[in-house]
Amino acid sequence: MIGNWNTTAGRALRSLRNTSAPMTYTLIAVCCLIFVLGPASGLTPSYGTGETLAAAQRAYFRHWGVVPAELFDGPAREALTPATALFVHGSWVHLLGNMLFLFVFGAMTEERMGRVAFTFFYVGCGYLALLGYAAANAASQQSLVGASGAISAVLGAFLYLFPSARVTSLLPFLFFLPLRFPAWVVLPFWAALQWLALGQTPAGPGVAYLAHLVGFGLGFGYAWVRYGRRTKVRTARAPAPEGENQP
């Protein structure tokens, strides 16, 4: 059995090295593994059930997530939480929604930027997106987790690098019919929805739309500054649903 496991793992690693977007798939794998092993998945018996599980989830999110009030006034270790929070998700829907967007838009973006640059871009923009949200809500005691800020940055960069790429969108008001639009239509529309939702968001727990917008702006700005007029736009096909789940 151990031999079979080693063979399977070896094949997986070789496939990962040979793909054009190894870091995108590695990030997806790490986020999924952390979620499955954590209390939010409900799959680890050691966290208990019922109220015991709920308490473990709250403690887990508070330890690894961003708590704005503690980020600026707490111990030095809190400065790391905008990075650790990128790999923690609050529910199955939250995880799968974020990973779907990363899978669809991350591969082409990584291939254009390169593995190392994409990794630093993803973590750096994600960190700054969560930091921006925390700065705007400095008194909040609510834990913030999720990769949405980093993935929003990928969307922003994708918009600049591949504006003509065809993206499949599922529109609720058209009975979720899959329709294909260029990225320059779909992604600005998505950003506009985040902006509108931000103005209607009540105080308290919920979707961190501000982190989405900060990440999107950072990603687009980074691609614009780094590539400028040297970027050669190409048309590509990329299926994706419209909208995004909360961080």
Side-chain angles (χ1 to χ4, degrees), residues 64-172:
W64 297 109
V66 178
V67 180
E70 297 180 2
L71 178 61
F72 299 109
D73 296 327
R77 69 159 297 276
E78 294 295 327
L80 297 176
T81 57
T84 59
L86 295 176
F87 300 93
V88 179
H89 291 82
S91 68
W92 282 99
V93 172
H94 185 199
L95 172 75
L96 296 177
N98 276 345
M99 294 305 100
L100 174 61
F101 268 71
L102 181 55
F103 175 78
V104 170
F105 294 100
M108 287 178 61
T109 306
E110 178 185 348
E111 185 177 358
R112 179 67 179 87
M113 291 184 177
R115 302 174 184 181
V116 175
F118 176 80
T119 303
F120 281 102
F121 162 80
Y122 179 90
V123 176
C125 288
Y127 185 101
L128 292 176
L130 295 180
L131 187 65
Y133 175 89
N137 299 271
S140 175
Q141 293 286 342
Q142 178 65 31
S143 301
L144 178 65
V145 297
S148 294
I151 296 171
S152 296
V154 173
L155 300 186
F158 188 96
L159 173 60
Y160 184 85
L161 296 172
F162 310 103
S164 298
R166 307 294 291 185
V167 179
T168 299
S169 301
L170 302 179
L171 304 178

Side-chain angles (χ1 to χ4, degrees), residues 22-97:
M23 292 312 303
T24 295
Y25 303 129
T26 297
L27 288 168
I28 292 173
V30 170
C31 286
C32 290
L33 179 62
I34 290 175
F35 179 80
V36 168
L37 296 178
S41 69
L43 299 178
T44 307
S46 61
Y47 288 108
T49 59
E51 281 301 318
T52 302
L53 177 60
Q57 291 173 347
R58 290 192 294 270
Y60 184 81
F61 296 148
R62 195 167 190 88
H63 181 76
W64 297 109
V66 178
V67 180
E70 297 180 2
L71 178 61
F72 299 109
D73 296 327
R77 69 159 297 276
E78 294 295 327
L80 297 176
T81 57
T84 59
L86 295 176
F87 300 93
V88 179
H89 291 82
S91 68
W92 282 99
V93 172
H94 185 199
L95 172 75
L96 296 177

